[in-house]
Amino acid sequence: MKTLKSVLRLGAAGSIMFAMAPVQAQQAPVGTAPQAAGTDVTLGDIVVTARRRDEALQNVPVAITALSGETLADRGILSTEALRQTAPALNIFQNNRNEAGFYIRGQGPGIIGGGARNFTSVATYFAEVPTTIAGSGVFYDLANVQVLKGPQGTLFGRNTTGGAVLFEPNRPTFDLEGYVKGSVGNLDYHEVEGMVNLPIVEDRVALRFAGSWSRRDGFTRSIYTGQRADSRNHDAFRVSLLLRPTDAIESNTIVDYNFRDNTGNGLILRAINPGAQLGALPVPDALQQGFGLPASIPLLAGAPTPIACLSVALPNCPTGPFGGAVAAFVAGANGGFSLSGLTPAQFQDALALQRQIGVRRNLNRRPVYNRNKAYGITNRTQIELTDDLTLKNIISLRRSRTAETTDITAGLDYAYGEYPGTGSNPPYVRGANQFTEEVQLQGKLPDAGISYVVGFYHEKTTPGIDQSYRSVVFGAASNTGNYYRDSSDALFAHVEWQITDKLQLSGGFRYTWDKRFLTSSVTDDAGNCTQTNTATGGIECPVEGKASFSAPTFDATLQYELTDRILGYVAYRRGYKSGGFNLPAPAAQFATFGEEQVDDWEVGLKADWDIGVPLRTNLSLFVDKYRDIQISLPVLANGSFINLVQNAGKATNKGGELEVLLKPSRNLTIGGFASYLDAKCATNVGTACRVGRQIAFQPEWKAGINGQYTLFEGDAGSVTITSDYSFTDRVTTSDPDTPLDTYPSYSLWNARLDWADMFGRGIDIGVFANNVTGKKYIVGGYPLASALGFDAALYGEPRTYGLNIRYRFGK
């Protein structure tokens, strides 16, 4: 009943807006650039591929934020996390500076920890292929970036319950053209970017080269090592070959490569909790032999032990069968399990020192790094079988490798992910080899007003390397090895029926079969197995998990053109996400988790108005009902730190998004957005998903405004100033059991000044400043005060500024 009431409220609001539309709307063909009466001032449109074909944004009944390559350059978008400032309902959380967890409408990424892999609620795509996209080395020679909100599945390669983000590179053309661009700035930033497009055979063969080489120092300095963490370096290129042997056949092959070699995370100690309550911990083999201890110490299961009791015997520490022995052997064994033997006073001293030195310096006692290599080959071939029937095939092979070391305690000297003998060429510890194949048949039945897509999708992913992730937890070293094998197969169909000139009904169906396999081994440095199989209680390596999941998904959308420039729609979508494993598991009941499903209702209005000047307003309102929503919680298991995924029962996410574009004159363009999200769980299951509490890392409010003003335009070129301002509301963290359980709200202001085509010479010069006010804001981290006694935060970039010079040639 509550769901019905919510939908009726949304429908009523939509009906009011629809009723207003004919009074104020301007008559013009849908998808053409709106133009104010008696002027030549127009709003452009952008071509999107949300329904797997090229369409004008205003014609698609889906909530989409689309940014053209030109807009990305004007806004100074250089790395993935900067997208959080550009779109409503989108947030990007980071455990790692070189990773990006996309959240849309309350749904977020899958968990990767120690090499284990779980599916995401928000998939990222490059050239229509699902793949992980993060960091820098992506935003060069792009055609556009599209943020699709709501469940996607009946038209896209991978099932998602939250949305999808599409990165589309520019395709080769049959014109000779190119550019070279140089940039310099503070933090010793320097970058060279370029592109050249070569027509090899007229209208038949074209080749496009594009690349970016960038270096920038880190901005968080360790007071102990002097290392500047959070650098941003990359070497990236793409080569695209377009073949058109006949007018009916087109094949585009893309080879891309991105290598990032950076200093690691500059984490900042934000809070401490020496009284963090610990459960059972494993005992290293050496300590079992030396002290005659069992393989695990319950730590008084009936009276959980504060973390500080593992360092010293304090008056308030529990004294049971093992209570006194724990304090004694830990103190006598050089710290043993202890967090470097810290007493509560030393916890407080570390926090006081961090607050004294500020958030641009930290307490890291050893160097940290992150090295990532990602590359792939993709082919998209399209054959026009007849005027009304097209065969499309997308095949890809992608690989990625990661080497890293991180101190997630932000200097409390508990090293997570430290590898022996790394030198200047550390070994890769995580990997992914992914193969995908998708075939589509796109057709039309003109006499019936029907167009359709039917297809098949296959994906297979393995690590590609022997994964081994070393961690040091409470002084005890362990090596966690994971191997996984995931496959996903799906059949899908989508139909659009143009009932009348104004009314269209569309819908799709998909059935997905997912197969998942995972093994986990935890050993000490001598190679001895220290992993408990929680199902049997015995020491066992490896422990295996194997499962299959399958489900139908479907959607239906009714759209109506109230006028030639106003499109209203009502949509229903069913989404699905595969279940998976938690290995090593802290307890038998947590070894696996089930699939997640969502029912999504959305009403929207895309409108272009004539109010004397062109105005565009795109509005969407939604209600999402989740069953068995997947929520993660960080825990210790068998001496390894893992993100434990659980099915948290029911959740309801509801809200709305508004995007506005206004062009008062030829020289001025103003845009803006706002979004509201109410994302709450309906049950408590011991995770961060609590009744009445916003789901973690999801701001209730987001808003932004941007503008571009041309100061001068003539034979000497054009001078333009661009500026944008964004606000992100505070978010809850994944640690609800601590007083400091939120990250504060923040606002960011960016600006740039460009002189394009100086004196008609094809030279562009620009100056830029990002985070002009030097705002200190949190973008992620490890909120583990309840679980492990500390909260380590990752802060956003400081004020950056610099200069670009670009030379363009050809068309």
Side-chain angles (χ1 to χ4, degrees):
M1 181 61 69
K2 291 183 178 178
T3 300
L4 178 60
K5 289 180 179 178
S6 297
V7 174
L8 289 174
R9 291 191 193 104
L10 295 179
S15 299
I16 293 171
M17 293 183 294
F18 296 166
M20 293 170 59
V23 179
Q24 303 181 49
Q26 177 187 2
Q27 304 294 314
V30 172
T32 60
Q35 178 172 318
T39 75
D40 58 355
V41 178
T42 63
L43 291 174
D45 212 335
I46 186 170
V47 174
V48 296
T49 54
R51 296 197 288 187
R52 307 308 295 270
R53 67 178 189 273
D54 292 346
E55 294 181 278
L57 172 66
Q58 293 302 98
N59 291 353
V60 183
V62 179
I64 305 172
T65 297
L67 303 168
S68 67
E70 182 181 0
T71 299
L72 293 168
D74 290 342
R75 301 279 292 273
I77 305 296
L78 298 176
S79 58
T80 310
E81 60 271 17
L83 288 175
R84 66 167 70 90
Q85 304 170 41
T86 65
L90 170 68
N91 194 33
I92 298 176
F93 176 83
Q94 296 174 276
N95 285 130
N96 189 305
R97 189 74 65 182
N98 293 288
E99 295 176 356
F102 285 83
Y103 289 81
I104 296 178
R105 292 184 174 179
Q107 282 289 281
I111 302 300
I112 298 178
R117 173 179 180 265
N118 286 319
F119 289 169
T120 178
S121 299
V122 179
T124 51
Y125 288 76
F126 176 77
E128 298 187 85
V129 174
T131 183
T132 300
I133 296 178
S136 61
V138 178
F139 292 87
Y140 64 95
D141 199 35
L142 283 181
N144 57 62
V145 173
Q146 305 167 43
V147 181
L148 280 58
K149 292 95 176 229
Q152 309 293 324
T154 60
L155 270 172
F156 277 86
R158 184 180 293 163
N159 283 296
T160 60
T161 52
V165 183
L166 316 182
F167 294 78
E168 184 64 31
N170 279 316
R171 305 175 188 179
T173 68
F174 294 103
D175 297 304
L176 176 63
E177 59 182 338
Y179 70 87
V180 60
K181 175 183 175 183
S183 304
V184 295
N186 65 327
L187 298 176
D188 197 23
Y189 164 59
H190 43 288
E191 180 173 1
V192 177
E193 175 187 322
M195 180 277 292
V196 60
N197 189 93
L198 303 172
I200 307 299
V201 178
E202 185 177 359
D203 294 330
R204 293 302 180 212
V205 182
L207 192 62
R208 191 180 188 98
F209 297 90
S212 174
W213 176 88
S214 180
R215 298 292 183 269
R216 196 190 71 183
D217 288 346
F219 51 81
T220 308
R221 186 187 294 274
S222 167
I223 64 172
Y224 295 113
T225 68
Q227 184 191 38
R228 300 182 67 159
D230 304 318
S231 66
R232 194 179 70 203
N233 307 318
H234 67 254
D235 307 325
F237 70 83
R238 298 186 200 113
V239 181
S240 302
L241 175 64
L242 177 64
L243 301 177
R244 191 177 288 168
T246 71
D247 291 343
I249 302 175
E250 180 174 292
S251 178
N252 186 23
T253 301
I254 306 170
V255 176
D256 65 280
Y257 176 88
N258 188 355
F259 177 68
R260 302 192 301 269
D261 190 0
N262 292 298
T263 54
N265 296 329
L267 289 161
I268 303 300
L269 189 63
R270 190 171 82 117
I272 52 93
N273 179 20
Q277 301 294 293
L278 299 170
L281 293 174
V283 177
D285 184 64
L287 292 179
Q288 294 179 41
Q289 298 173 9
F291 294 90
L293 296 173
S296 66
I297 298 178
L299 295 182
L300 308 178
T305 304
I307 194 171
C309 292
L310 299 180
S311 301
V312 293
L314 299 173
N316 295 327
C317 288
T319 56
F322 297 104
V326 170
F329 92 79
V330 169
N334 247 349
F337 288 127
S338 73
L339 197 90
S340 298
L342 293 181
T343 66
Q346 289 171 316
F347 271 81
Q348 297 290 350
D349 288 344
L351 181 60
L353 178 57
Q354 180 67 80
R355 290 176 175 173
Q356 179 183 345
I357 63 178
V359 301
R360 298 307 181 194
R361 292 190 290 172
N362 74 355
L363 308 178
N364 276 0
R365 297 175 181 270
R366 55 179 55 82
V368 292
Y369 61 84
N370 183 284
R371 176 176 292 179
N372 178 271
K373 179 168 61 175
Y375 52 100
I377 181 169
T378 302
N379 176 266
R380 296 187 287 187
T381 297
Q382 189 166 297
I383 304 174
E384 293 184 8
L385 302 175
T386 69
D387 289 343
D388 299 319
L389 191 62
T390 299
L391 178 68
K392 184 176 181 179
N393 191 78
I394 307 168
I395 187 169
S396 78
L397 178 63
R398 301 203 60 83
R399 295 184 175 182
S400 65
R401 304 287 185 263
T402 297
E404 64 179 345
T405 183
T406 300
D407 179 359
I408 67 172
T409 69
L412 287 177
D413 207 15
Y414 144 36
Y416 175 66
E418 182 185 6
Y419 312 108
T422 56
S424 59
N425 189 25
Y428 290 114
V429 296
R430 286 206 311 266
N433 283 8
Q434 175 185 282
F435 171 78
T436 65
E437 160 68 8
E438 181 175 353
V439 60
Q440 303 174 11
L441 196 62
Q442 301 183 2
K444 299 177 182 178
L445 302 174
D447 294 340
I450 291 175
S451 61
Y452 61 88
V453 179
V454 295
F456 167 75
Y457 176 78
H458 170 73
E459 175 184 316
K460 182 176 181 180
T461 308
T462 63
I465 62 173
D466 291 330
Q467 299 186 127
S468 182
Y469 206 96
R470 187 173 189 268
S471 56
V472 182
V473 182
F474 304 121
S478 63
N479 297 277
T480 303
N482 292 102
Y483 175 82
Y484 61 85
R485 184 175 62 248
D486 294 330
S487 66
S488 182
D489 294 278
L491 293 171
F492 60 89
H494 176 82
V495 178
E496 297 167 22
W497 177 27
Q498 197 68 42
I499 302 173
T500 71
D501 290 343
K502 301 290 186 180
L503 182 65
Q504 183 188 97
L505 176 65
S506 60
F509 180 85
R510 172 192 178 113
Y511 203 94
T512 303
W513 297 267
D514 292 322
K515 294 182 179 180
R516 313 213 51 198
F517 175 77
L518 177 67
T519 68
S520 172
S521 296
V522 181
T523 62
D524 60 22
D525 284 343
N528 301 311
C529 179
T530 61
Q531 176 177 250
T532 300
N533 184 338
T534 53
T536 64
I539 301 297
E540 183 180 336
C541 289
V543 173
E544 296 184 355
K546 184 177 182 180
S548 296
F549 304 91
S550 62
T553 54
F554 37 86
D555 65 69
T557 301
L558 185 67
Q559 65 183 68
Y560 185 75
E561 293 177 23
L562 287 93
T563 72
D564 290 334
R565 283 197 174 167
I566 297 184
L567 176 69
Y569 64 91
V570 180
Y572 166 76
R573 309 180 188 100
R574 163 69 62 85
Y576 149 84
K577 186 168 70 171
S578 168
F581 311 101
N582 296 303
L583 296 179
Q589 66 266 32
F590 298 128
T592 62
F593 58 92
E595 62 191 43
E596 169 186 290
Q597 290 191 341
V598 61
D599 291 304
D600 168 75
W601 293 267
E602 180 178 325
V603 296
L605 182 70
K606 294 187 171 184
D608 290 333
W609 316 86
D610 179 6
I611 58 172
V613 295
L615 169 66
R616 174 172 296 161
T617 58
N618 289 346
L619 175 67
S620 63
L621 306 171
F622 65 91
V623 175
D624 292 343
K625 291 286 187 177
Y626 287 87
R627 294 185 301 281
D628 298 320
I629 189 171
Q630 296 170 7
I631 299 292
S632 67
L633 183 72
V635 299
L636 279 175
N638 283 275
S640 292
F641 171 75
I642 68 168
N643 280 291
L644 182 77
V645 182
Q646 300 177 66
N647 294 105
K650 297 181 179 180
T652 300
N653 300 351
K654 55 190 175 184
E657 302 145 16
L658 173 66
E659 293 186 272
V660 177
L661 185 62
L662 175 68
K663 196 167 181 65
S665 69
R666 286 176 53 89
N667 294 341
L668 178 63
T669 303
I670 300 172
F673 67 84
S675 64
Y676 172 75
L677 173 66
D678 179 16
K680 303 288 197 306
C681 283
T683 56
N684 295 327
V685 293
T687 70
C689 201
R690 303 287 176 86
V691 173
R693 185 177 190 265
Q694 186 86 342
I695 291 177
F697 314 125
Q698 303 298 301
E700 285 192 354
W701 289 98
K702 283 195 67 180
I705 185 170
N706 60 82
Q708 188 174 71
Y709 183 68
T710 301
L711 302 171
F712 170 82
E713 187 172 18
D715 294 338
S718 62
V719 178
T720 302
I721 185 170
T722 305
S723 184
D724 63 86
Y725 178 89
S726 64
F727 167 79
T728 300
D729 202 0
R730 71 174 186 170
V731 300
T732 61
T733 73
S734 55
D735 189 0
D737 298 317
T738 180
L740 201 61
D741 69 337
T742 61
Y743 292 151
S745 62
Y746 62 89
S747 300
L748 295 177
W749 174 32
N750 306 318
R752 63 180 295 123
L753 180 67
D754 291 286
W755 186 358
D757 198 22
M758 294 176 60
F759 303 109
R761 302 288 185 177
I763 298 175
D764 308 326
I765 184 169
V767 293
F768 65 88
N770 296 322
N771 189 7
V772 175
T773 61
K775 182 71 175 180
K776 297 179 176 66
Y777 61 102
I778 299 174
V779 296
Y782 295 87
L784 302 172
S786 295
L788 296 178
F790 60 86
D791 183 332
L794 195 65
Y795 276 77
E797 296 188 348
R799 180 189 300 111
T800 56
Y801 51 86
L803 169 72
N804 311 129
I805 299 178
R806 180 175 67 170
Y807 172 67
R808 295 175 285 107
F809 62 90
K811 184 176 181 180

